Amino acid sequence: MIIKTLSNKNNLQVLYEDNHIIIVNKRAGDIVQGDKTGDKPLSDVVKEYIKDKYNKPGNVYLGVVHRLDRPTTGIVVFSKTSKALPRLNKLFADKKAKKTYWAVVKNKPKKPEDTLIHWLKKNPKNNKSYAHLKDVTDSKKAILHYKQLKKLDNYFLLEVNLETGRHHQIRCQLSTIGCPIKGDLKYGFSRSNKDASIHLHARQIQFTHPVSKENLNIIASLPKDPIWDACLN
């Protein structure tokens, strides 16, 4: 059960906004796009925010560029115009957006930094991905780079850069090397967080604005809790 406050039009954490793009800091429990749960998605919240802020009549256009897992926090990019959306989609597809994540894990990785390569296969029945060391039927190649940033009292802070964007990629690959993310029961952590979050945060994104050509470098503040606080101290 999600206890933590979800995003609404009044508390939305907007990190960047112009005529074409809006970037927000997603809370744990926010679902980016509507699904079978029927819960209100973050995309609808952003539309309400835009409608309210600019007193827009009628429907508000908003394009979903990418997603974050529900228990994950951090940066989500939306398009405010039909001009920007295909350009943003291409930018992400061509891997021209550099996404950096922070993950708090239970165990110290064997190497302080490494590149992980697996083939991930998703099981839709339990909405979980499984990692293989070689290509298997219906699997997709997954590559990430990590480095240990800090040793906490009982955990380790890793910085993760994705080369591919697969289903539950960071969660699955880190679990496979014996480093499940704090709170992530699905991928092997011993207990859940009270608010059903996991300690995985989309911390930073860097890309060239598809319309203005400005270089954007956006950083999302961490959720307020003692473990994340310790990562900054």
Side-chain angles (χ1 to χ4, degrees):
M1 179 182 164
I2 304 284
I3 301 166
K4 191 174 280 189
T5 306
L6 300 179
S7 293
N8 60 56
K9 68 176 182 179
N10 299 315
N11 70 8
L12 191 68
Q13 299 176 63
V14 178
L15 303 173
Y16 175 88
E17 184 183 5
D18 64 15
N19 289 336
H20 294 283
I21 294 174
I22 181 166
I23 302 175
V24 304
N25 190 0
K26 178 180 118 47
R27 290 172 163 85
D30 287 339
I31 188 163
V32 173
Q33 204 169 18
D35 70 356
K36 62 180 184 291
T37 63
D39 294 342
K40 186 176 194 172
L42 186 59
S43 54
D44 281 3
V45 172
V46 177
K47 284 182 184 179
E48 287 177 359
Y49 163 86
I50 293 168
K51 189 177 179 71
D52 202 50
K53 181 177 179 180
Y54 300 103
N55 201 18
K56 279 183 175 279
N59 294 329
V60 172
Y61 179 90
L62 193 78
V64 177
V65 179
H66 67 117
R67 296 165 184 80
L68 282 183
D69 297 342
R70 188 163 194 167
T72 304
T73 56
I75 291 169
V76 182
V77 180
F78 295 99
S79 171
K80 290 172 65 178
T81 64
S82 55
K83 180 179 183 179
L85 182 61
R87 298 182 186 189
L88 283 166
N89 286 339
K90 186 173 189 325
L91 191 133
F92 275 70
D94 293 346
K95 302 181 178 65
K96 290 182 178 173
K98 186 187 177 191
K99 293 183 274 187
T100 302
Y101 294 78
W102 280 12
V104 175
V105 300
K106 184 175 186 176
N107 302 314
K108 182 178 182 177
K110 287 180 181 174
K111 298 178 181 176
E113 55 185 287
D114 201 5
T115 296
L116 304 182
I117 302 174
H118 295 97
W119 279 260
L120 301 191
K121 185 170 181 176
K122 180 183 175 182
N123 181 344
K125 288 182 180 175
N126 61 0
N127 191 35
K128 186 174 176 181
S129 286
Y130 295 84
H132 302 267
L133 292 175
K134 60 180 191 295
D135 194 1
V136 299
T137 306
D138 296 329
S139 66
K140 293 180 177 178
K141 192 174 187 180
I143 305 171
L144 67 73
H145 313 278
Y146 77 81
K147 66 178 176 182
Q148 183 183 318
L149 290 185
K150 192 167 188 177
K151 182 187 183 305
L152 308 172
D153 287 345
N154 299 303
Y155 305 102
F156 297 87
L157 173 63
L158 306 183
E159 180 180 277
V160 178
N161 286 294
L162 285 179
E163 207 167 297
T164 54
R166 306 302 183 201
H167 175 259
H168 292 178
Q169 180 176 340
I170 298 173
R171 298 165 66 181
C172 181
Q173 287 194 278
L174 290 183
S175 173
T176 301
I177 63 163
C179 298
I181 293 169
K182 184 181 182 300
D184 197 358
L185 278 179
K186 179 168 275 194
Y187 288 95
F189 197 80
S190 55
R191 63 188 184 277
S192 58
N193 291 339
K194 286 181 181 176
D195 62 2
S197 69
I198 62 173
H199 275 72
L200 177 61
H201 182 72
R203 175 68 169 162
Q204 185 175 13
I205 193 164
Q206 299 170 71
F207 63 93
T208 302
H209 193 294
V211 181
S212 71
K213 304 306 177 188
E214 175 190 357
N215 289 325
L216 298 181
N217 182 12
I218 310 296
I219 295 175
S221 60
L222 298 169
K224 293 304 293 177
D225 80 32
I227 302 293
W228 282 126
D229 290 349
C231 294
L232 295 175
N233 293 338

